[in-house]
Amino acid sequence: MQIVRVALPVPIPQLFDYTSQDASEEDIGRCVRVPFGRGEKSGVIVALPAVSDVDPARLKPVRHIQREVSPLPADWLELVAFVARYYHEPLGEVIALALPPGLRRADAVSDRESDPLLDLGPAGHAALAAGRRVSRALTLLQQLQAAGVIRRSIARELPDGAALADAMRRGWVVPVRGASPATAAAGQPELTDEQRAAVDAVSTEPAGFVPWLLHGVTGSGKTEVYLRLAARALAAGQQVLMLVPEIALTPQLESRVAGRFPAACVVSLHSGLAEGARSRGFVQALEGRADLVLGTRLSVFAAMPRLGLILVDEEHDASYKQQEGVRYSARDVAVWRARQRGVPIVLGSATPSLESWHHVRAERYRGLRLNARALASTLPKVRRIDTRRLRLDEGLSPALQSAIGERLARGEQSLVFLNRRGYAPVLSCPSCGWVSRCPHCSANLVVHLADRRLRCHHCGCDCEVPHACPVCGNQDIQPFGRGTQRIEARLAELFPEARVLRVDRDSARTRSQWESMLAQIANGEADILVGTQMMAKGHDFPKLTLVGVIGADASLHAADFRAPERLFQQLMQVGGRAGRAHLPGEVLVQTEYPDHPLYRCLVRHDFDAFAESALSERRAAGFPPFTYQAMLRADAPVLDDAMQFLAHARRLAQDMAPAGVRVFDAVPMRLTRLARRERGQLLIEADERALLQTFIGRWIEVLRAQRTSRELRWQLDIDPLEV
DNA sequence: AGCACGCCGACT
DNA sequence: GTCGGCGTGCTC
């Protein structure tokens, strides 16, 4: 009789012991189903202890050990244990997050959909040589001959992929084995000198953990560097892990990667995947059959026995930080993992996070630069428009209007960038002062004139636009401020001949809407685009030569110390949309603070100067990365309950905190009320990460032991992004 | 987290 | 008399 120790997804930092007739060392890392309470739960065997702390008579036998799938290896268990420790969450909860649900439930694994390598068989070569009558199968054969060895899934995607089954039935195309996954498709682009230097720097480094920061301006070809590095790792028989910030970016990248490495097994992992596909992908990675794993933050937990390289694209992106449950940073976990496995990691961005940039300056990371745009186009010219003495027309300056007019006359596209959805951020009554407040949040309801609704952008509350002031009956209530819809409407009036297209979360709600808009833009079916940050990311618009930025000043004085960093990143990214290919681009930034250092740096495209000044401000103010933070947040239906809990937690912290750990005041959050709950927070800070960690560990243990009203929720956020 | 047990208020 | 509120405690 063997004792097995199981990590289960319950919110208490405990492991549970069970008995098993036949468990052996081989079963450590395997998924199990066990009786729990009066029900059943599933978890992972993490140890086979000789004795249990609980009375042997109380141990129940495990119900089922999943032995169809390879066990999770020791290094994976170490990885999740690290995440549990660092973010102060129970191991079982971290495991539940890291494993695909179907796998953890120890379900039977679906038949592995194999994706065999295909090549032309002798019959296929003969058919080509015979000069037969042209058919789809024959055209496909020509495409396959050009491609070389190829995965079936990729072959299906070829222009005549529909004829694949036919070609295989005739024996023209046959499965082959043993082609190197690094086999590259024909037609790789030439590298620029900078790209070559970056690839060489990483490749000539001796094997082992090296963190690299690839700082490459928009359009400098970072992806090509990733692909070359991946090719080297694949050729060495290693697996590559590549992280991207968003689900929306995976399909494009996946097809590009799969197209480049037709013989490689490329697996993508993200939360949008069906359960079966996610389990299958994870198992392929775990069993070493996947060569390249591509995915969003949760794919940092893919088990990979032959891991040789980690790539993190857009490493500054906030979506690498999970904002609920286990609040982990996939980028930080990836760096830990690279160190653990002794492999290089490349963090890439056009606008690196100040944290990573600081690591380069402190020589903890190695820097790689791509300063030139690969496609022979230069960086856009950035100009500030001082709006202090201008008469604006619905927020649009004369200079911006005439610049748009010029683009229109030349048949080029313009983008007006404004990070505010809706028609106007608030509706208000000039006679009695009523404003459209959300009943559930401390926020205003936004006017959506497109469908005549008032909406809360925080809780989704939605009602009709009233015809008169609900308090005083005044008929003349007015929308104040401007959002994308209002700008869109005004542009349509100013340029009646132009096709104006608004691109925001409202107009591009579904994937297909978003894709059809991208196609419209690419086909030149729009002249003026009005867009939010959706427009800033990851797409090329060859005819776009003007970006006008309005309403950016608000972020200059925001309370969050990271707001300027985000603004600068956003403006650099959206500015990068202007002028690709052979048309020079221009960026016009409307501002009342044209001399603000942030805009001065933006005009010079000088990220380094911006980062330098932002970092020195942070150093002076004692903010990260010069200090380490943890945030305790509490929420309850009534603010007072949340604040009382935080005040209690604060007293506790003050009693326990060693020198060097600073406990701040408990304060209501900026958006205090959200979805009928009121929220407060308590910041803890220290100069040493280890000091903060040990203290938080002891503090949280005490805090967890307290009983609180059931209406009160609280969570801990290590390295919070928003303070 | 679930889910039991258990002890007090207002309903058929 | 019971249905049901949620405080308390446990899960190997």
Side-chain angles (χ1 to χ4, degrees):
Chain A
M1 187 69 82
Q2 176 65 56
I3 298 171
V4 295
R5 186 155 290 169
V6 180
L8 292 171
V10 283
I12 40 176
Q14 267 174 46
L15 299 170
F16 295 86
D17 293 345
Y18 290 85
T19 58
S20 166
Q21 294 297 333
D22 62 344
S24 74
E25 291 288 324
E26 304 276 287
D27 292 317
I28 295 180
R30 286 208 151 107
C31 297
V32 274
R33 277 204 294 259
V34 293
F36 190 78
R38 53 179 35 250
E40 190 178 74
K41 280 196 178 295
S42 48
V44 170
I45 299 177
V46 294
L48 298 184
V51 288
S52 176
D53 293 335
V54 302
D55 177 3
R58 285 176 58 217
L59 297 185
K60 297 177 184 174
V62 303
R63 294 244 169 96
H64 173 69
I65 300 180
Q66 164 62 288
R67 292 197 171 98
E68 306 292 304
V69 175
S70 305
L72 294 152
D75 74 274
W76 189 88
L77 292 172
E78 270 172 42
L79 174 72
V80 287
F82 160 73
V83 171
R85 217 180 322 124
Y86 187 78
Y87 294 100
H88 302 278
E89 296 286 348
L91 179 60
E93 301 263 55
V94 175
I95 286 179
L97 156 109
L99 281 186
L103 201 65
R104 181 172 52 83
R105 279 199 312 268
D107 289 351
V109 202
S110 61
D111 267 337
R112 295 155 191 166
E113 182 189 300
S114 61
D115 189 8
L117 282 175
L118 304 177
D119 200 0
L120 297 203
H125 288 290
L128 276 175
R132 299 163 49 110
R133 182 180 60 84
V134 175
S135 66
R136 284 197 81 183
L138 200 66
T139 331
L140 175 67
L141 219 50
Q142 286 161 352
Q143 290 159 7
L144 290 176
Q145 190 180 34
V149 178
I150 195 168
R151 291 267 162 198
R152 187 172 70 190
S153 58
I154 309 294
R156 283 208 195 109
E157 299 298 314
L158 289 171
D160 286 292
L164 183 64
D166 189 25
M168 289 189 73
R169 201 163 343 127
R170 292 166 194 253
W172 292 356
V173 177
V174 294
V176 294
R177 8 182 65 247
S180 162
T183 309
Q188 289 185 32
E190 283 287 311
L191 292 184
T192 64
D193 290 346
E194 288 179 331
Q195 287 173 321
R196 159 93 23 234
V199 172
D200 287 349
V202 179
S203 339
T204 54
E205 193 68 23
F209 169 66
V210 184
W212 300 88
L213 178 65
L214 175 61
H215 179 188
V217 300
T218 317
S220 60
K222 290 186 291 295
T223 310
E224 189 54 35
V225 174
Y226 303 147
L227 292 175
R228 298 295 177 116
L229 294 173
R232 289 187 52 97
L234 295 177
Q238 299 171 328
Q239 290 175 298
V240 176
L241 173 62
M242 182 167 186
L243 304 185
V244 294
E246 284 177 72
I247 297 177
L249 299 178
T250 48
Q252 293 144 328
L253 200 59
E254 191 183 9
S255 62
R256 182 160 172 194
V257 170
R260 173 65 71 88
F261 305 115
C265 174
V266 177
V267 153
S268 82
L269 283 178
H270 53 79
S271 53
L273 238 43
E275 219 175 68
R278 214 181 126 191
S279 293
R280 203 149 47 232
F282 190 95
V283 172
Q284 283 180 315
L286 165 68
E287 299 189 341
R289 284 176 284 125
D291 297 304
L292 206 148
V293 174
L294 173 65
T296 53
R297 61 172 178 258
L298 61 82
S299 57
V300 76
F301 292 111
M304 298 174 73
R306 300 183 280 116
L307 182 66
L309 172 69
I310 303 180
L311 304 164
V312 183
D313 193 25
E314 308 291 354
E315 65 87 25
H316 66 278
D317 199 293
S319 40
Y320 283 123
K321 180 91 200 274
Q322 175 132 13
Q323 291 296 2
E324 58 190 47
V326 184
R327 299 168 113 88
Y328 69 99
S329 158
R331 182 246 277 144
D332 297 350
V333 172
V335 173
W336 189 89
R337 195 172 179 190
R339 175 179 282 125
Q340 174 205 25
R341 296 290 296 266
V343 302
I345 178 168
V346 179
L347 309 177
S349 177
T351 51
S353 62
L354 291 185
E355 282 78 3
S356 298
W357 199 80
H358 178 61
H359 282 317
V360 175
R361 297 222 41 211
E363 299 186 350
R364 287 187 290 268
Y365 290 4
R366 309 267 299 269
L368 299 167
R369 291 297 285 254
L370 302 178
N371 293 315
R373 294 181 108 177
L375 295 167
S377 58
T378 51
L379 290 168
K381 185 163 175 48
V382 180
R383 280 170 41 207
R384 289 156 291 184
I385 300 174
D386 183 349
T387 55
R388 281 171 298 186
R389 270 178 238 152
L390 290 179
R391 274 189 68 89
L392 300 182
D393 180 341
E394 286 284 24
L396 301 166
S397 63
L400 179 53
Q401 289 178 49
S402 65
I404 294 172
E406 284 168 30
R407 297 315 187 290
L408 211 48
R410 291 209 294 264
E412 296 166 8
Q413 288 170 327
S414 312
L415 163 67
V416 177
F417 175 77
L418 164 65
N419 224 347
R420 174 169 276 161
R421 297 186 287 132
Y423 183 83
V426 69
L427 184 67
S428 105
C429 171
S431 91
C432 77
W434 170 83
V435 288
S436 54
R437 301 277 297 172
C438 172
H440 309 142
C441 305
S442 37
N444 291 329
L445 294 171
V446 176
V447 185
H448 283 246
L449 222 50
D451 34 12
R452 291 207 60 81
R453 308 292 293 178
L454 291 180
R455 275 202 195 106
C456 176
H457 286 182
H458 302 282
C459 73
C461 164
D462 185 317
C463 59
E464 212 166 307
V465 175
H467 295 285
C469 172
V471 174
C472 72
N474 176 18
Q475 304 257 322
D476 189 29
I477 45 175
Q478 282 167 9
F480 273 86
R482 273 172 292 273
T484 45
Q485 290 177 12
R486 193 166 193 166
I487 300 298
E488 174 194 24
R490 186 59 189 141
L491 285 167
E493 288 168 7
L494 288 168
F495 303 100
E497 72 282 23
R499 295 159 300 178
V500 182
L501 183 68
R502 172 166 56 87
V503 187
D504 56 27
R505 213 163 75 211
D506 302 308
S507 68
R509 209 158 3 92
T510 67
R511 171 108 172 259
S512 69
Q513 281 175 325
W514 169 231
E515 275 167 7
S516 90
M517 282 192 171
L518 286 178
Q520 263 182 67
I521 300 169
N523 297 336
E525 292 162 24
D527 304 306
I528 306 174
L529 313 171
V530 183
T532 56
Q533 54 188 338
M534 274 190 92
M535 290 295 294
K537 280 188 186 168
H539 294 279
D540 288 349
F541 305 111
K543 293 179 76 179
L544 182 71
T545 59
L546 172 70
V547 172
V549 176
I550 63 182
D553 286 344
S555 304
L556 245 31
H557 312 108
D560 189 337
F561 71 86
R562 276 181 241 263
E565 176 184 355
R566 281 196 289 264
L567 176 63
F568 193 80
Q569 288 167 344
Q570 217 164 54
L571 293 184
M572 272 206 123
Q573 287 203 346
V574 74
R577 305 294 123 211
R580 284 239 171 151
H582 305 292
L583 297 169
E586 187 179 25
V587 178
L588 300 181
V589 183
Q590 292 189 180
T591 173
E592 295 189 4
Y593 306 90
D595 294 324
H596 193 287
L598 188 149
Y599 294 130
R600 288 173 170 277
C601 293
L602 189 72
V603 166
R604 303 200 310 269
H605 301 280
D606 197 343
F607 180 86
D608 290 13
F610 169 76
E612 195 74 52
S613 85
L615 272 177
S616 64
E617 276 173 31
R618 289 212 196 163
R619 186 197 299 274
F623 288 137
F626 302 99
T627 55
Y628 299 91
Q629 299 181 327
M631 187 74 85
L632 181 71
R633 297 200 184 89
D635 62 275
V638 183
L639 182 62
D640 215 38
D641 292 344
M643 296 310 293
Q644 260 175 39
F645 168 79
L646 290 173
H648 169 72
R650 177 170 186 269
R651 281 192 298 274
L652 200 64
Q654 282 175 321
D655 292 345
M656 299 175 66
V661 170
R662 295 179 288 280
V663 181
F664 286 73
D665 284 333
V667 293
M669 286 179 68
R670 233 164 349 106
L671 190 73
T672 307
R673 194 167 149 78
L674 176 72
R676 297 171 192 249
R677 296 186 70 85
E678 307 202 310
R679 312 161 324 142
Q681 60 184 21
L682 170 61
L683 180 66
I684 311 285
E685 200 177 80
D687 297 330
E688 302 290 333
R689 183 165 262 163
L691 196 63
L692 184 67
Q693 276 299 314
T694 347
F695 162 68
I696 296 279
R698 290 189 291 131
W699 182 49
I700 285 300
E701 196 186 337
V702 180
L703 224 45
R704 275 197 224 275
Q706 326 264 298
R707 41 182 153 289
T708 56
S709 112
R710 57 160 53 158
E711 286 290 10
L712 184 98
R713 299 273 121 84
W714 60 268
Q715 335 91 43
L716 183 69
D717 189 353
I718 302 292
D719 306 327
L721 275 190
E722 280 171 47
V723 293

